[in-house]
Protein backbone atom coordinates (compact mmCIF):
# COMPACT_ATOMS: atom_id res chain seq x y z
CA UNK A 1 0.00 0.00 0.00
CA UNK A 2 1.14 3.51 -0.78
CA UNK A 3 2.48 5.29 2.25
CA UNK A 4 0.92 8.68 2.92
CA UNK A 5 3.38 11.55 2.65
CA UNK A 6 4.35 13.73 5.59
CA UNK A 7 3.53 17.40 5.96
CA UNK A 8 6.24 19.60 7.43
CA UNK A 9 5.72 23.18 8.54
CA UNK A 10 9.21 24.60 8.27
CA UNK A 11 10.39 27.96 9.59
CA UNK A 12 13.11 29.40 7.34
CA UNK A 13 13.99 32.20 9.74
CA UNK A 14 13.53 35.96 9.53
CA UNK A 15 14.97 36.68 6.09
CA UNK A 16 18.74 36.14 6.09
CA UNK A 17 19.47 32.90 4.26
CA UNK A 18 22.11 31.85 6.82
CA UNK A 19 19.54 32.07 9.63
CA UNK A 20 17.82 28.91 8.43
CA UNK A 21 18.49 25.88 10.65
CA UNK A 22 20.39 22.84 9.46
CA UNK A 23 17.24 20.78 10.05
CA UNK A 24 15.04 23.09 7.98
CA UNK A 25 17.50 22.94 5.07
CA UNK A 26 17.65 19.13 5.28
CA UNK A 27 13.88 18.64 5.43
CA UNK A 28 13.31 20.97 2.48
CA UNK A 29 16.07 19.29 0.50
CA UNK A 30 14.50 15.86 1.07
CA UNK A 31 11.00 16.88 0.02
CA UNK A 32 9.63 16.78 -3.56
CA UNK A 33 6.92 19.41 -2.97
CA UNK A 34 7.32 22.89 -1.52
CA UNK A 35 4.13 24.71 -0.55
CA UNK A 36 4.17 28.51 -0.28
CA UNK A 37 1.53 31.05 0.50
CA UNK A 38 1.09 33.16 -2.66
CA UNK A 39 2.98 36.43 -2.22
CA UNK A 40 1.88 36.91 1.41
CA UNK A 41 5.49 37.58 2.39
CA UNK A 42 6.65 39.05 -0.88
CA UNK A 43 9.97 40.78 -1.43
CA UNK A 44 10.31 43.98 -3.44
CA UNK A 45 10.00 41.93 -6.64
CA UNK A 46 6.73 40.30 -5.52
CA UNK A 47 8.26 36.84 -5.02
CA UNK A 48 7.79 34.78 -1.86
CA UNK A 49 10.61 35.79 0.47
CA UNK A 50 10.60 32.33 2.07
CA UNK A 51 11.24 30.82 -1.37
CA UNK A 52 14.00 33.36 -2.10
CA UNK A 53 15.75 32.21 1.10
CA UNK A 54 15.40 28.55 0.22
CA UNK A 55 16.65 28.84 -3.35
CA UNK A 56 19.89 30.40 -2.12
CA UNK A 57 20.64 27.10 -0.38
CA UNK A 58 18.81 24.31 -2.18
CA UNK A 59 18.38 23.34 -5.84
CA UNK A 60 14.70 23.63 -6.65
CA UNK A 61 14.71 22.42 -10.30
CA UNK A 62 13.34 18.97 -9.53
CA UNK A 63 10.81 20.17 -7.00
CA UNK A 64 7.19 21.06 -7.44
CA UNK A 65 6.24 24.49 -6.09
CA UNK A 66 2.69 24.44 -4.81
CA UNK A 67 1.32 27.99 -4.56
CA UNK A 68 -1.51 28.37 -2.09
CA UNK A 69 -3.91 31.27 -2.11
CA UNK A 70 -4.62 32.92 1.26
CA UNK A 71 -6.68 36.04 0.63
CA UNK A 72 -6.13 38.95 3.00
CA UNK A 73 -9.71 39.23 4.15
CA UNK A 74 -11.72 39.52 7.34
CA UNK A 75 -14.60 37.55 5.79
CA UNK A 76 -14.57 34.45 7.99
CA UNK A 77 -16.26 32.21 5.43
CA UNK A 78 -13.85 33.20 2.67
CA UNK A 79 -10.97 32.61 5.06
CA UNK A 80 -12.12 29.13 6.06
CA UNK A 81 -12.86 28.22 2.44
CA UNK A 82 -9.36 29.26 1.33
CA UNK A 83 -7.78 27.18 4.10
CA UNK A 84 -9.87 24.13 3.23
CA UNK A 85 -8.90 24.53 -0.42
CA UNK A 86 -5.19 24.88 0.43
CA UNK A 87 -5.36 21.82 2.68
CA UNK A 88 -7.04 19.90 -0.13
CA UNK A 89 -4.23 20.76 -2.54
CA UNK A 90 -1.64 19.63 0.02
CA UNK A 91 -3.52 16.41 0.76
CA UNK A 92 -3.56 15.40 -2.92
CA UNK A 93 0.23 15.18 -2.71
CA UNK A 94 0.26 13.50 0.70
CA UNK A 95 -2.19 10.83 -0.49
CA UNK A 96 0.00 10.23 -3.54
CA UNK A 97 2.83 9.45 -1.10
CA UNK A 98 4.72 12.69 -1.55
CA UNK A 99 6.08 14.69 1.39
CA UNK A 100 5.11 18.35 1.39
CA UNK A 101 7.10 21.12 3.04
CA UNK A 102 5.16 24.29 3.84
CA UNK A 103 7.80 27.00 4.19
CA UNK A 104 7.20 30.07 6.24
CA UNK A 105 9.23 33.09 7.35
CA UNK A 106 10.22 33.01 11.01
CA UNK A 107 8.67 30.16 12.98
CA UNK A 108 5.84 27.96 11.62
CA UNK A 109 3.76 28.12 14.82
CA UNK A 110 4.21 31.79 15.79
CA UNK A 111 2.06 33.98 13.53
CA UNK A 112 2.19 31.68 10.53
CA UNK A 113 -0.57 30.40 8.28
CA UNK A 114 0.74 26.88 8.87
CA UNK A 115 -1.01 26.67 12.24
CA UNK A 116 -4.35 27.54 10.61
CA UNK A 117 -3.88 24.85 7.97
CA UNK A 118 -3.16 21.96 10.31
CA UNK A 119 -6.75 21.26 11.46
CA UNK A 120 -7.93 21.17 7.83
CA UNK A 121 -5.18 18.77 6.81
CA UNK A 122 -5.95 16.57 9.84
CA UNK A 123 -9.56 16.42 8.71
CA UNK A 124 -8.82 15.73 5.04
CA UNK A 125 -5.97 13.26 5.65
CA UNK A 126 -6.20 11.94 9.22
CA UNK A 127 -3.52 9.34 8.51
CA UNK A 128 -0.88 11.94 7.54
CA UNK A 129 1.93 12.67 9.97
CA UNK A 130 2.37 16.40 10.50
CA UNK A 131 5.57 17.85 11.89
CA UNK A 132 6.86 21.36 12.61
CA UNK A 133 10.47 22.51 12.33
CA UNK A 134 10.87 25.63 14.47
CA UNK A 135 12.68 28.70 13.17
CA UNK A 136 14.23 31.98 14.30
CA UNK A 137 11.50 34.59 14.85
CA UNK A 138 11.55 38.14 13.50
CA UNK A 139 11.59 39.58 17.01
CA UNK A 140 14.72 37.62 17.97
CA UNK A 141 16.39 38.75 14.74
CA UNK A 142 15.28 42.33 15.42
CA UNK A 143 16.75 42.24 18.93
CA UNK A 144 20.01 41.02 17.40
CA UNK A 145 19.96 43.77 14.76
CA UNK A 146 19.46 46.38 17.48
CA UNK A 147 21.74 44.57 19.97
CA UNK A 148 19.07 45.06 22.61
CA UNK A 149 18.07 42.18 24.88
CA UNK A 150 14.39 41.28 24.75
CA UNK A 151 14.45 40.01 28.32
CA UNK A 152 16.85 38.95 31.05
CA UNK A 153 16.08 36.44 33.77
CA UNK A 154 12.92 37.23 35.70
CA UNK A 155 11.51 39.67 33.13
CA UNK A 156 8.11 39.23 31.50
CA UNK A 157 7.40 39.83 27.82
CA UNK A 158 4.21 40.74 25.96
CA UNK A 159 3.90 40.27 22.20
CA UNK A 160 1.07 42.29 20.70
CA UNK A 161 0.21 41.44 17.09
CA UNK A 162 -0.80 44.89 15.89
CA UNK A 163 -1.44 47.87 18.05
CA UNK A 164 -4.99 48.60 16.99
CA UNK A 165 -6.22 49.02 20.54
CA UNK A 166 -3.91 51.50 22.23
CA UNK A 167 -5.43 50.72 25.62
CA UNK A 168 -4.15 47.14 25.34
CA UNK A 169 -0.69 48.50 24.59
CA UNK A 170 -0.91 50.89 27.53
CA UNK A 171 -1.93 48.05 29.87
CA UNK A 172 0.87 45.82 28.58
CA UNK A 173 3.45 48.62 29.02
CA UNK A 174 2.33 48.96 32.60
CA UNK A 175 2.29 45.25 33.50
CA UNK A 176 5.25 43.83 31.50
CA UNK A 177 9.01 44.45 31.52
CA UNK A 178 9.19 44.21 27.73
CA UNK A 179 6.55 44.80 25.08
CA UNK A 180 6.97 43.81 21.44
CA UNK A 181 4.60 45.53 19.04
CA UNK A 182 4.42 43.57 15.79
CA UNK A 183 3.37 45.11 12.43
CA UNK A 184 3.51 48.57 13.93
CA UNK A 185 3.52 50.37 10.58
CA UNK A 186 -0.16 51.34 10.45
CA UNK A 187 -0.32 52.78 13.95
CA UNK A 188 3.11 54.33 14.34
CA UNK A 189 1.85 57.85 15.15
CA UNK A 190 -0.40 56.67 17.96
CA UNK A 191 2.30 54.38 19.36
CA UNK A 192 4.92 57.14 19.32
CA UNK A 193 2.51 59.48 21.09
CA UNK A 194 1.85 56.83 23.75
CA UNK A 195 5.57 56.16 24.26
CA UNK A 196 6.26 59.86 24.70
CA UNK A 197 3.32 60.20 27.09
CA UNK A 198 4.52 57.27 29.22
CA UNK A 199 8.14 58.42 29.14
CA UNK A 200 9.26 55.21 27.39
CA UNK A 201 10.38 56.59 24.02
CA UNK A 202 14.06 56.21 24.99
CA UNK A 203 13.49 52.56 25.97
CA UNK A 204 12.19 51.65 22.53
CA UNK A 205 13.81 50.51 19.32
CA UNK A 206 12.19 50.19 15.90
CA UNK A 207 13.37 47.50 13.49
CA UNK A 208 12.08 46.68 10.03
CA UNK A 209 13.08 43.71 7.85
CA UNK A 210 15.71 42.43 10.28
CA UNK A 211 18.39 40.53 8.42
CA UNK A 212 17.16 41.60 4.96
CA UNK A 213 19.25 43.90 2.79
CA UNK A 214 16.61 46.57 3.55
CA UNK A 215 17.09 46.19 7.33
CA UNK A 216 16.51 49.38 9.28
CA UNK A 217 17.09 50.07 12.99
CA UNK A 218 15.85 53.33 14.54
CA UNK A 219 16.49 54.16 18.21
CA UNK A 220 14.95 57.65 18.05
CA UNK A 221 11.42 56.32 17.53
CA UNK A 222 9.89 59.80 17.83
CA UNK A 223 11.52 60.61 14.49
CA UNK A 224 9.28 58.00 12.81
CA UNK A 225 6.12 60.03 13.31
CA UNK A 226 4.26 60.56 10.04
CA UNK A 227 6.45 58.15 8.07
CA UNK A 228 5.09 55.48 5.74
CA UNK A 229 6.73 52.35 7.12
CA UNK A 230 7.45 48.88 5.87
CA UNK A 231 4.94 46.09 6.57
CA UNK A 232 7.62 44.00 8.34
CA UNK A 233 8.13 46.51 11.16
CA UNK A 234 8.16 46.07 14.90
CA UNK A 235 9.02 48.00 18.03
CA UNK A 236 10.62 46.49 21.13
CA UNK A 237 10.18 48.47 24.35
CA UNK A 238 12.24 47.20 27.29
CA UNK A 239 11.76 49.18 30.46
CA UNK A 240 14.95 47.93 32.12
CA UNK A 241 17.17 49.06 29.23
CA UNK B 1 48.22 47.89 15.34
CA UNK B 2 46.50 44.78 16.64
CA UNK B 3 42.87 44.64 15.70
CA UNK B 4 40.49 44.05 18.60
CA UNK B 5 38.58 40.77 18.37
CA UNK B 6 34.82 40.60 17.97
CA UNK B 7 32.42 39.24 20.54
CA UNK B 8 29.53 37.17 19.23
CA UNK B 9 26.56 36.07 21.31
CA UNK B 10 25.39 33.00 19.46
CA UNK B 11 22.14 31.11 20.03
CA UNK B 12 22.61 27.40 19.37
CA UNK B 13 18.91 26.62 19.56
CA UNK B 14 16.83 24.66 22.05
CA UNK B 15 18.85 21.46 22.35
CA UNK B 16 18.62 19.46 19.11
CA UNK B 17 21.94 19.81 17.27
CA UNK B 18 20.21 20.22 13.88
CA UNK B 19 18.26 23.22 15.18
CA UNK B 20 21.38 25.40 15.10
CA UNK B 21 21.41 27.91 12.26
CA UNK B 22 23.92 27.80 9.43
CA UNK B 23 25.18 31.22 10.56
CA UNK B 24 25.69 30.12 14.17
CA UNK B 25 27.69 27.08 13.02
CA UNK B 26 29.83 29.24 10.72
CA UNK B 27 30.56 31.91 13.33
CA UNK B 28 31.51 29.30 15.95
CA UNK B 29 33.67 27.45 13.43
CA UNK B 30 35.55 30.66 12.58
CA UNK B 31 36.26 31.64 16.18
CA UNK B 32 39.31 30.55 18.23
CA UNK B 33 37.65 31.06 21.63
CA UNK B 34 34.32 29.67 22.85
CA UNK B 35 32.93 31.13 26.06
CA UNK B 36 30.38 29.13 28.05
CA UNK B 37 28.61 29.74 31.31
CA UNK B 38 29.86 27.06 33.72
CA UNK B 39 27.24 24.29 33.92
CA UNK B 40 24.30 26.71 34.01
CA UNK B 41 22.57 24.68 31.30
CA UNK B 42 24.05 21.32 32.16
CA UNK B 43 22.92 18.00 30.69
CA UNK B 44 22.47 14.87 32.79
CA UNK B 45 26.27 14.44 32.84
CA UNK B 46 26.87 17.96 34.15
CA UNK B 47 28.36 19.28 30.89
CA UNK B 48 27.24 22.48 29.19
CA UNK B 49 24.41 21.50 26.88
CA UNK B 50 25.28 24.35 24.50
CA UNK B 51 28.78 22.88 24.15
CA UNK B 52 27.40 19.37 23.64
CA UNK B 53 25.35 20.72 20.71
CA UNK B 54 28.33 22.50 19.20
CA UNK B 55 30.76 19.57 19.42
CA UNK B 56 28.36 17.42 17.40
CA UNK B 57 28.93 19.78 14.49
CA UNK B 58 32.29 21.46 14.88
CA UNK B 59 35.80 20.22 15.75
CA UNK B 60 36.78 21.87 19.02
CA UNK B 61 40.34 20.53 19.40
CA UNK B 62 42.06 23.71 18.32
CA UNK B 63 39.74 26.01 20.22
CA UNK B 64 40.06 27.49 23.66
CA UNK B 65 37.05 26.88 25.91
CA UNK B 66 36.61 29.80 28.28
CA UNK B 67 34.43 28.77 31.22
CA UNK B 68 32.71 31.67 32.93
CA UNK B 69 31.29 31.49 36.41
CA UNK B 70 27.78 32.88 36.89
CA UNK B 71 26.67 32.03 40.42
CA UNK B 72 22.95 31.38 40.92
CA UNK B 73 22.44 34.06 43.54
CA UNK B 74 20.05 36.88 44.33
CA UNK B 75 22.88 38.89 45.91
CA UNK B 76 23.06 41.86 43.53
CA UNK B 77 26.68 42.72 44.33
CA UNK B 78 27.87 39.15 43.83
CA UNK B 79 25.94 39.05 40.54
CA UNK B 80 27.46 42.28 39.23
CA UNK B 81 30.95 41.22 40.35
CA UNK B 82 30.65 37.89 38.52
CA UNK B 83 29.53 39.64 35.33
CA UNK B 84 32.39 42.13 35.51
CA UNK B 85 34.85 39.28 36.03
CA UNK B 86 33.43 37.29 33.11
CA UNK B 87 33.56 40.38 30.87
CA UNK B 88 37.18 40.91 31.94
CA UNK B 89 38.11 37.36 30.92
CA UNK B 90 36.43 37.84 27.54
CA UNK B 91 38.10 41.22 26.99
CA UNK B 92 41.58 39.75 27.54
CA UNK B 93 40.99 37.68 24.41
CA UNK B 94 39.37 40.51 22.46
CA UNK B 95 42.28 42.84 23.20
CA UNK B 96 44.70 40.14 22.06
CA UNK B 97 42.87 40.21 18.72
CA UNK B 98 40.96 36.98 19.18
CA UNK B 99 37.25 36.67 18.37
CA UNK B 100 35.16 35.20 21.17
CA UNK B 101 31.89 33.34 20.70
CA UNK B 102 29.62 33.20 23.73
CA UNK B 103 27.31 30.24 23.08
CA UNK B 104 23.91 30.03 24.66
CA UNK B 105 20.91 27.69 24.43
CA UNK B 106 17.97 29.18 22.55
CA UNK B 107 18.41 32.82 21.60
CA UNK B 108 21.23 35.03 22.97
CA UNK B 109 18.94 37.99 23.74
CA UNK B 110 15.87 36.20 25.15
CA UNK B 111 16.60 35.02 28.71
CA UNK B 112 20.34 34.55 28.20
CA UNK B 113 23.27 35.72 30.29
CA UNK B 114 24.77 37.23 27.15
CA UNK B 115 22.53 40.30 27.39
CA UNK B 116 23.74 40.94 30.95
CA UNK B 117 27.38 40.71 29.86
CA UNK B 118 27.21 43.18 27.01
CA UNK B 119 27.27 46.42 29.08
CA UNK B 120 30.33 45.17 31.00
CA UNK B 121 32.18 44.27 27.81
CA UNK B 122 31.28 47.65 26.31
CA UNK B 123 32.78 49.34 29.36
CA UNK B 124 35.96 47.23 29.46
CA UNK B 125 36.57 47.21 25.71
CA UNK B 126 34.63 50.07 24.10
CA UNK B 127 36.38 49.49 20.79
CA UNK B 128 35.17 45.88 20.46
CA UNK B 129 32.43 45.10 17.98
CA UNK B 130 29.66 43.03 19.57
CA UNK B 131 27.23 41.03 17.47
CA UNK B 132 24.35 38.68 18.21
CA UNK B 133 23.33 35.66 16.12
CA UNK B 134 19.70 34.85 16.93
CA UNK B 135 18.56 31.30 17.63
CA UNK B 136 15.46 29.13 17.90
CA UNK B 137 13.84 29.63 21.32
CA UNK B 138 12.72 26.85 23.65
CA UNK B 139 9.10 27.97 23.37
CA UNK B 140 9.08 27.70 19.58
CA UNK B 141 10.67 24.24 19.86
CA UNK B 142 8.09 23.28 22.51
CA UNK B 143 5.22 24.40 20.30
CA UNK B 144 6.68 22.24 17.52
CA UNK B 145 7.06 19.25 19.86
CA UNK B 146 3.43 19.61 20.92
CA UNK B 147 2.27 20.61 17.40
CA UNK B 148 0.31 23.44 18.98
CA UNK B 149 0.44 26.93 17.50
CA UNK B 150 1.63 29.63 19.89
CA UNK B 151 -0.38 32.28 18.09
CA UNK B 152 -2.20 32.92 14.85
CA UNK B 153 -2.66 36.33 13.25
CA UNK B 154 -4.20 38.89 15.58
CA UNK B 155 -3.50 36.96 18.78
CA UNK B 156 -1.45 38.37 21.66
CA UNK B 157 1.15 36.42 23.63
CA UNK B 158 2.50 36.82 27.16
CA UNK B 159 5.75 35.19 28.24
CA UNK B 160 6.10 34.94 32.01
CA UNK B 161 9.55 33.96 33.26
CA UNK B 162 8.54 31.94 36.31
CA UNK B 163 5.12 31.87 37.83
CA UNK B 164 6.01 33.05 41.30
CA UNK B 165 3.17 35.53 41.47
CA UNK B 166 0.01 33.66 40.56
CA UNK B 167 -1.93 36.91 40.32
CA UNK B 168 0.29 38.00 37.41
CA UNK B 169 -0.47 34.70 35.70
CA UNK B 170 -4.19 35.13 36.35
CA UNK B 171 -4.11 38.65 34.87
CA UNK B 172 -2.16 37.46 31.82
CA UNK B 173 -4.58 34.57 31.25
CA UNK B 174 -7.41 37.04 31.26
CA UNK B 175 -5.82 39.66 28.97
CA UNK B 176 -3.84 37.53 26.46
CA UNK B 177 -4.79 34.90 23.88
CA UNK B 178 -1.74 32.81 24.70
CA UNK B 179 0.35 32.63 27.86
CA UNK B 180 3.73 30.89 28.04
CA UNK B 181 4.89 30.04 31.55
CA UNK B 182 8.65 29.43 31.55
CA UNK B 183 10.46 27.33 34.19
CA UNK B 184 7.17 26.14 35.57
CA UNK B 185 8.66 23.25 37.56
CA UNK B 186 8.69 24.87 40.98
CA UNK B 187 5.12 26.13 40.91
CA UNK B 188 3.35 23.38 38.98
CA UNK B 189 0.77 22.62 41.69
CA UNK B 190 -0.37 26.23 41.97
CA UNK B 191 -0.45 26.64 38.18
CA UNK B 192 -2.47 23.47 37.67
CA UNK B 193 -4.95 24.61 40.35
CA UNK B 194 -5.28 27.99 38.60
CA UNK B 195 -5.80 26.38 35.19
CA UNK B 196 -8.52 24.12 36.59
CA UNK B 197 -10.15 27.06 38.36
CA UNK B 198 -10.18 29.15 35.17
CA UNK B 199 -11.34 26.24 33.02
CA UNK B 200 -8.20 26.40 30.87
CA UNK B 201 -6.59 23.07 31.74
CA UNK B 202 -7.66 21.55 28.39
CA UNK B 203 -6.10 24.50 26.53
CA UNK B 204 -2.68 23.90 28.03
CA UNK B 205 0.29 21.77 27.06
CA UNK B 206 3.36 21.03 29.16
CA UNK B 207 6.73 20.47 27.45
CA UNK B 208 10.10 19.80 29.00
CA UNK B 209 13.47 19.64 27.21
CA UNK B 210 11.97 20.11 23.73
CA UNK B 211 14.19 18.49 21.13
CA UNK B 212 16.40 16.72 23.69
CA UNK B 213 16.38 12.94 23.99
CA UNK B 214 14.54 13.46 27.30
CA UNK B 215 11.76 15.50 25.62
CA UNK B 216 8.37 15.16 27.27
CA UNK B 217 4.99 16.48 26.13
CA UNK B 218 1.97 16.27 28.46
CA UNK B 219 -1.47 17.45 27.36
CA UNK B 220 -3.26 16.33 30.53
CA UNK B 221 -1.53 18.95 32.68
CA UNK B 222 -3.68 18.12 35.73
CA UNK B 223 -1.81 14.80 35.89
CA UNK B 224 1.42 16.70 36.68
CA UNK B 225 0.25 17.78 40.11
CA UNK B 226 2.72 16.78 42.80
CA UNK B 227 5.42 15.71 40.33
CA UNK B 228 9.07 16.73 40.60
CA UNK B 229 9.65 18.24 37.17
CA UNK B 230 12.66 19.05 35.03
CA UNK B 231 14.19 22.56 35.23
CA UNK B 232 13.70 23.08 31.47
CA UNK B 233 9.91 22.94 31.65
CA UNK B 234 7.26 25.24 30.28
CA UNK B 235 3.52 25.39 29.77
CA UNK B 236 1.80 26.98 26.78
CA UNK B 237 -1.85 27.94 27.29
CA UNK B 238 -3.68 29.01 24.13
CA UNK B 239 -7.27 29.98 24.68
CA UNK B 240 -8.26 29.63 21.02
CA UNK B 241 -7.01 26.03 20.75
Amino acid sequence: MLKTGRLYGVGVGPGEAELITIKAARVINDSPVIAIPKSADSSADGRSKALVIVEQLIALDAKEILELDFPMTRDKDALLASRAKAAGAICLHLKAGRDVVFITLGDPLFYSTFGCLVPFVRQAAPEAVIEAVPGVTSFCASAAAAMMPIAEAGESVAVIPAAYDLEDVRAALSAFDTVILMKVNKVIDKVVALLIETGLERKAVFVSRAGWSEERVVTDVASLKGEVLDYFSLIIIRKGT
Side-chain angles (χ1 to χ4, degrees), chain A:
Chain A
M1 213 187 111
L2 190 68
K3 205 174 154 218
T4 305
R6 271 173 187 252
L7 171 61
Y8 296 90
V10 174
V12 299
E16 197 176 337
E18 268 200 307
L19 287 178
I20 197 171
T21 66
I22 292 174
K23 185 170 188 174
R26 175 179 61 80
V27 168
I28 296 166
N29 196 44
D30 289 351
S31 168
V33 183
I34 300 184
I36 51 168
K38 204 186 274 178
S39 68
D41 65 347
S42 59
S43 320
D45 58 1
R47 300 186 59 221
S48 159
K49 178 69 181 175
L51 198 61
V52 170
I53 293 171
V54 166
E55 69 185 5
Q56 291 174 61
L57 302 159
I58 294 159
L60 298 179
D61 322 29
K63 297 192 189 296
E64 177 162 352
I65 307 298
L66 178 63
E67 279 201 318
L68 303 171
D69 202 12
F70 295 103
M72 289 275 200
T73 172
R74 293 184 183 205
D75 178 339
K76 188 112 190 183
D77 289 341
L79 217 56
L80 295 179
S82 71
R83 290 174 188 172
K85 195 179 164 198
I90 288 172
C91 289
L92 278 181
H93 285 287
L94 298 180
K95 290 185 176 187
R98 288 188 288 275
D99 290 347
V100 177
V101 166
F102 184 95
I103 55 173
T104 178
L105 281 178
D107 179 85
L109 295 171
F110 210 135
Y111 298 137
S112 157
T113 315
F114 178 67
C116 313
L117 269 182
V118 167
F120 290 92
V121 174
R122 284 216 173 108
Q123 195 170 28
E127 70 284 12
V129 175
I130 306 179
E131 202 175 306
V133 179
V136 173
T137 62
S138 62
F139 51 82
C140 286
S142 297
M147 261 309 291
M148 169 162 145
I150 291 173
E152 291 175 8
E155 294 178 349
S156 57
V157 180
V159 186
I160 299 186
Y164 291 115
D165 187 340
L166 263 277
E167 288 315 306
D168 287 350
V169 178
R170 187 190 296 273
L173 286 171
S174 155
F176 286 79
D177 298 300
T178 297
V179 176
I180 301 172
L181 301 174
M182 307 292 290
K183 303 276 160 66
V184 80
N185 56 314
K186 284 186 194 158
V187 286
I188 188 68
D189 288 1
K190 288 181 192 171
V191 166
V192 165
L194 179 62
L195 292 176
I196 290 171
E197 184 201 318
T198 51
L200 290 169
E201 85 273 21
R202 295 277 160 216
K203 307 287 188 181
V205 63
F206 167 95
V207 184
S208 62
R209 304 217 174 209
W212 302 36
S213 57
E214 309 95 318
E215 176 181 290
R216 185 178 176 207
V217 177
V218 178
T219 49
D220 176 14
V221 294
S223 70
L224 295 169
K225 222 173 162 174
E227 264 199 56
V228 177
L229 299 168
D230 192 277
Y231 175 73
F232 288 102
S233 297
L234 58 82
I235 284 183
I236 304 172
I237 305 120
R238 179 161 172 254
K239 292 194 229 164
T241 310

